[in-house]
Amino acid sequence: MHHPGPPHFVAVGEAIELAPRDPDPEATYAWDVTARPDGSTATVGDDPVEHLEPDVAGTYVVHLAAPDGGHDLTVRAFASELTPSTGGVSGASGVSAGESGFESGGSGSGGRSGSARADAVTGDGGRPRLTLEPAIEGDEAVVRADPLPHPDGPETSADLAVEFLLDDRDNVDREAVTIDETELRVPLSAIDDRLRVHAVSVGDRGYSVPDAVEFAREDPTGSAVTDGSVTASHIYEPPAWAEDTIIYEIYVRTFAGQAGDQRSGGDGAAAGEGETERSAFDAIVDRLDYIESLGVDTLWLTPVLENDHAPHGYNITDFFSIAEDLGSRADYERLIAAAHDRGMNVLFDLVCNHSARTHPHFQAAVADPDSEYHEWYEWRGPGEPETYFEWEHIANFDFTHLPVRRHLLDAIDQWAPLVDGFRIDMAWAVPNNFWREVHDRAKAIDSEFLLLDETIPYIPDFQGGCFDMHFDSTTYAALRRVGNGAPAAEVLDAVDERAAIGFPPHAGFMLYAENHDETRYLVECGRAAARAATGALFTLPGSPLVYAGQEFGQRGKRDDLAWEHADEDLQAHVRQLAAARRDVTALESAATLHRIEWTVQSGAADRVVAFGRVRGDDAVVVVLNFGPETATVELPIATGTTDAVSGKAVGTGEGGLRVDNVLVVPAESETIKG
């Protein structure tokens, strides 16, 4: 169906992209604004991909004439003063409004991480948040909204309004729908195949990221409860398996190390006569038991598609073929199967913003400005494509051109059924509306499919129907600052910024201290700080990432892994942290984070931070020490004295706790919550 998707919530002056879904590049599409508020003169143009910029607050209806019929799309526009003021909103161009400290040069690969801190987060309040809860009660579908005010603002939940919109794609008797402030009800008999309900909370300082629920007479999307023939689900949240997953990033071309060349006999020796040449994927299969022993249950492989031979693989030349230097498609599928046999999920690194300049379509476009492929790209001038950060080996796609969207959607359809999720490169550089289509398309293939976006700094609106989980670049940046001498408590400030810029409680985050774009944390900050930072990844709310080699002291960020020089003590540290994360309920992502008081009796006071985690009746206190010397910490609440990470007794016998780098001790939930 070509319907343009879910309703939009925007502010006056914000442009939204309008595009037919599942487009046929040969078909004719026409847009028209069929309803607008009094005083509005907003219009749309004649191209298949257009933009609407509301000029008056109120409700707009945009009509799409498509080969499969007519489709209406509702757009709710709020007053311009309610425009979200924190955490950049990706607009029609797809460019993040925040600062990004990306690496420059010709690599065309991801960027360096920065902070999402914005001047508007000042203690005067800001963007509210919202979570919807669906239920089936008797013969009714019920949606309850839980509006949450900005954590630093004067508003309360009672001060916030909630606005609901029904999805224009669904056939429902709208006269049967009743709304009572924060609750929507509809008889099940009024629902045809499905009903999707979207909503935002609205306060004096802005409107929230949208949330959505679904009632369906078919397989659900997301977590679900079922009653009879109708299923209720919350659809804008991570799949259950991803909420506490431990992710392991593999830089595919150097993972095997020098001794494990991809064309080897499998034991590290070069392939001899009569031996089968082995691929880079086979080298990963050879290490899967080791990776599993770390407690990892998700693999993220850097791009595996045919490319311009830059080792990172992000400059794609063929979106439908596996890179020959890595192996065959059969080799890749064998790796996926081997991972699945061990209960591991696999993430495919999806690149949509650009192609390599050696891609045949770009080569044709440069050679002939009248080529059909010239319109596939954005251009700065004759023969010079648009790109970011002066990257000289890539060219940005033009997403207003339907063949581009069709090409990339076809590639997504090819790879999504093989894997368990996408890690999405440069998500900020692609229009939101395209990601909303990718979200719905991937979830239709597999309702438990994970969409993880690399957006630096992170963007709260990407939680509203684009992605399930986000790179936590703000906590990354805080960990780097702390590792370089900033007060350790900054890591808690970083986690608090999620709510401060508008992320709802159900948003998922990936925590990382390094990846293939970053200097190794150990190299920049030292061994003690690296152990504490790894402890933070496993004890703060979010899913931890371990970049291959991080667990054994690798120093080069993209070099051949030095397996023969692995630091077994660091490996044991990661295994212990992963086990604690798995076994301690209060360390799960759903556990709440609480600030507590602490006193450093000995050691460097500013290198230590303590916090509580609570889930139900389960609670722990976590202490991190980024300093090189053991610290002794006194807490004002009673705790146990056995560390859940090391299993060792850490009490001093005089009311203190000894912490080398990280400890986790049991506590009473009520004492932590105060």
Side-chain angles (χ1 to χ4, degrees):
M1 182 168 73
H2 297 304
H3 193 288
H8 288 261
F9 298 91
V10 298
V12 169
E14 290 185 308
I16 62 166
E17 184 194 72
L18 305 170
R21 291 194 169 190
D22 199 23
D24 177 355
E26 303 301 321
T28 298
Y29 300 92
W31 296 95
D32 184 29
V33 181
T34 57
R36 57 174 65 82
D38 291 342
S40 171
T41 59
T43 59
V44 292
D46 300 325
D47 292 325
V49 178
E50 279 295 343
H51 296 87
L52 172 70
E53 184 175 323
D55 54 355
V56 174
T59 300
Y60 298 74
V61 177
V62 184
H63 183 79
L64 171 65
D68 61 342
H71 305 288
D72 289 333
L73 177 70
T74 300
V75 178
R76 174 66 170 101
F78 298 103
S80 59
E81 55 265 29
L82 298 182
T83 302
S85 57
T86 58
V89 177
S90 175
S93 68
V95 180
S96 168
E99 294 280 334
S100 294
F102 282 79
E103 289 185 324
S104 61
S107 73
S109 133
R112 293 185 62 84
S113 301
S115 171
R117 181 176 293 278
D119 292 340
V121 184
T122 61
D124 296 327
R127 194 172 193 182
R129 295 159 292 146
L130 179 75
T131 297
L132 298 180
E133 293 293 338
I136 299 170
E137 298 179 358
D139 60 357
E140 287 187 310
V142 181
V143 182
R144 292 187 176 88
D146 181 16
L148 297 171
H150 188 277
D152 298 326
E155 292 179 315
T156 67
S157 293
D159 296 324
L160 302 175
V162 175
E163 293 209 19
F164 294 95
L165 286 179
L166 303 185
D167 200 298
D168 300 292
R169 294 170 290 181
D170 300 332
N171 184 18
V172 61
D173 180 1
R174 293 177 180 247
E175 296 297 322
V177 178
T178 61
I179 298 175
D180 182 8
E181 296 185 345
T182 60
E183 183 177 282
L184 179 147
R185 289 179 174 267
V186 57
L188 297 179
S189 59
I191 301 173
D192 191 3
D193 290 335
R194 68 170 52 175
L195 169 64
R196 285 159 285 195
V197 178
H198 307 261
V200 295
S201 60
V202 187
D204 290 339
R205 294 289 302 275
Y207 61 93
S208 71
V209 173
D211 199 16
V213 297
E214 178 183 59
F215 299 94
R217 302 183 188 276
E218 57 185 39
D219 292 339
T221 298
S223 59
V225 292
T226 306
D227 183 282
S229 61
V230 178
T231 299
S233 57
H234 184 222
I235 56 179
Y236 290 170
E237 64 183 9
W241 66 263
E243 291 180 357
D244 286 291
T245 193
I246 298 172
I247 304 170
Y248 190 79
E249 183 196 356
I250 294 176
Y251 192 77
V252 292
R253 286 179 173 80
T254 58
F255 177 78
Q258 289 184 343
D261 186 272
Q262 63 190 51
R263 299 184 180 279
S264 75
D267 58 358
E273 184 177 353
E275 292 180 314
T276 302
E277 291 186 344
R278 294 172 59 77
S279 71
F281 299 128
D282 291 326
I284 298 171
V285 171
D286 291 344
R287 295 281 184 181
L288 285 181
D289 289 341
Y290 161 78
I291 296 170
E292 184 181 22
S293 78
L294 297 173
V296 167
D297 54 8
T298 295
L299 303 179
W300 156 27
L301 275 62
T302 53
V304 298
L305 298 183
E306 200 63 76
N307 60 83
D308 65 359
H309 303 301
H312 53 70
Y314 285 92
N315 306 341
I316 308 298
T317 59
D318 184 345
F319 287 84
F320 298 88
S321 298
I322 294 294
E324 289 186 6
D325 67 308
L326 297 180
S328 66
R329 175 162 177 158
D331 294 332
Y332 179 57
E333 292 189 16
R334 186 164 59 249
L335 164 59
I336 295 170
H340 287 169
D341 287 345
R342 291 165 174 80
M344 295 181 183
N345 297 288
V346 179
L347 302 183
F348 180 99
D349 205 325
L350 180 68
V351 180
C352 286
N353 167 72
H354 57 265
S355 79
R357 297 194 191 186
T358 54
H359 192 291
H361 294 354
F362 182 78
Q363 292 290 303
V366 170
D368 179 8
D370 295 324
S371 164
E372 65 177 297
Y373 297 113
H374 195 270
E375 292 182 88
W376 281 55
Y377 296 92
E378 297 177 337
W379 299 92
R380 292 181 179 179
E384 183 62 28
E386 188 60 70
T387 185
Y388 293 106
F389 318 115
E390 304 305 320
W391 285 338
E392 61 185 2
H393 298 301
I394 63 172
N396 288 358
F397 283 128
D398 185 347
F399 280 82
T400 68
H401 191 49
L402 288 187
V404 169
R405 301 173 93 103
R406 180 74 270 160
H407 187 77
L408 294 172
L409 291 171
D410 288 344
I412 286 165
D413 288 347
Q414 172 166 309
W415 301 113
L418 295 182
V419 295
D420 306 286
F422 290 145
R423 176 271 186 189
I424 296 176
D425 183 61
M426 295 179 67
W428 53 270
V430 173
N432 303 21
N433 209 37
F434 181 76
W435 292 134
R436 290 190 181 97
E437 180 171 5
V438 171
H439 175 279
D440 291 357
R441 201 175 190 93
K443 300 291 185 177
I445 294 170
D446 177 2
S447 64
E448 291 292 293
F449 199 87
L450 175 66
L451 293 159
L452 165 65
D453 71 294
E454 181 212 28
T455 303
I456 303 171
Y458 48 30
I459 295 176
D461 282 274
F462 274 173
Q463 179 61 34
C466 296
F467 306 106
D468 307 309
M469 186 178 289
H470 319 277
F471 271 47
D472 190 346
S473 56
T474 300
T475 302
Y476 161 82
L479 286 170
R480 288 283 168 150
R481 291 194 302 271
V482 172
N484 282 288
E490 287 195 15
V491 298
L492 301 184
D493 298 336
V495 174
D496 285 346
E497 283 195 17
R498 300 173 182 175
I501 68 169
F503 278 105
H506 54 269
F509 295 91
M510 186 190 76
L511 292 160
Y512 63 104
E514 60 185 63
N515 59 38
H516 68 272
D517 283 317
E518 315 297 344
T519 301
R520 294 283 186 175
Y521 195 98
L522 182 146
V523 171
E524 180 178 331
C525 304
R527 182 184 179 87
R531 287 176 63 93
T534 306
L537 304 182
F538 283 85
T539 57
L540 290 169
S543 296
L545 169 77
V546 176
Y547 176 37
Q550 176 182 351
E551 79 277 13
F552 61 69
Q554 178 80 13
R555 300 185 68 83
K557 69 180 180 182
R558 297 181 181 179
D559 298 348
D560 289 324
L561 291 191
W563 294 102
E564 66 277 16
H565 300 298
D567 185 321
E568 295 182 358
D569 180 63
L570 290 178
Q571 287 174 322
H573 184 56
V574 170
R575 289 188 175 102
Q576 289 175 335
L577 285 166
R581 175 60 183 260
R582 181 179 61 248
D583 297 339
V584 178
T585 301
L587 292 180
E588 295 175 357
S589 287
T592 52
L593 175 69
H594 298 265
R595 290 181 181 256
I596 62 173
E597 300 294 327
W598 72 91
T599 301
V600 177
Q601 297 175 325
S602 66
D606 66 345
R607 314 306 297 139
V608 175
V609 62
F611 54 92
R613 300 291 308 281
V614 176
R615 185 164 192 189
D617 294 332
D618 295 297
V620 294
V621 169
V622 178
V623 186
L624 302 173
N625 174 19
F626 288 82
E629 305 296 332
T630 299
T632 302
V633 177
E634 181 180 3
L635 302 171
I637 60 177
T639 69
T641 57
T642 300
D643 176 23
V645 177
S646 66
K648 297 178 180 178
V650 292
T652 64
E654 299 176 353
L657 298 172
R658 292 185 302 272
V659 53
D660 293 327
N661 306 118
V662 56
L663 64 80
V664 177
V665 289
E668 295 293 328
S669 60
E670 294 305 317
T671 62
I672 289 179
K673 292 188 292 185

